[in-house]
Amino acid sequence: MIDAMLALVKGETERVDSRFLEPACGDGRFLVQILRRKLVAVELKYGNSDFEQHHYALLALMCLYGVELLADNIAECRAKLLEIFSKHLNLHPADDLYRAASHVLSQNIV
């Protein structure tokens, strides 16, 4: 089902600045797939410059929003998105970009 939904919005997932709101995000399955696609798009377009790749990857993350009623699902969704983001960019928890991403997720996944 997730793949069918993503097929409908494929073009938008490849735009770094397109916004997505998942009003019942659960543990983030849909948002995870969107982030993965956005990060691939960032790498293809801005992969030659670490600065641009980091800047646009953060922009891609900032364009994802999720709402969930269960606190444990919110925490899991945030953790999944942060893990994908940080692994893709080779970030560590002490890095400024990692902390910025964590803060963005604390505001955008509620």
Side-chain angles (χ1 to χ4, degrees):
M1 181 170 156
I2 291 172
D3 289 335
M5 291 171 59
L6 284 174
L8 294 173
V9 294
K10 183 182 184 307
E12 289 301 309
T13 61
E14 294 170 352
R15 281 189 40 225
V16 174
D17 63 342
S18 62
R19 294 185 187 107
F20 285 88
L21 167 64
E22 176 61 30
C25 68
D27 65 358
R29 289 185 184 185
F30 185 66
L31 293 175
V32 160
Q33 296 304 319
I34 292 171
L35 179 60
R36 284 189 175 133
R37 287 180 183 224
K38 284 177 164 285
L39 291 174
V40 167
V42 167
E43 190 171 340
L44 290 172
K45 191 166 185 178
Y46 304 104
N48 294 334
S49 165
D50 282 346
F51 175 79
E52 284 187 332
Q53 188 174 10
H54 289 178
H55 173 80
Y56 286 104
L58 185 60
L59 175 61
L61 186 69
M62 291 170 67
C63 292
L64 299 180
Y65 301 90
V67 178
E68 176 57 44
L69 294 176
L70 301 174
D72 58 334
N73 281 349
I74 293 169
E76 189 173 347
C77 181
R78 288 174 181 166
K80 284 180 181 180
L81 293 170
L82 186 58
E83 180 182 4
I84 289 165
F85 183 83
S86 62
K87 280 187 178 182
H88 188 83
L89 297 173
N90 243 355
L91 301 175
H92 302 284
D95 294 335
D96 288 339
L97 188 59
Y98 183 99
R99 291 191 315 239
S102 180
H103 179 72
V104 165
L105 291 170
S106 74
Q107 301 302 301
N108 287 10
I109 309 297
V110 295

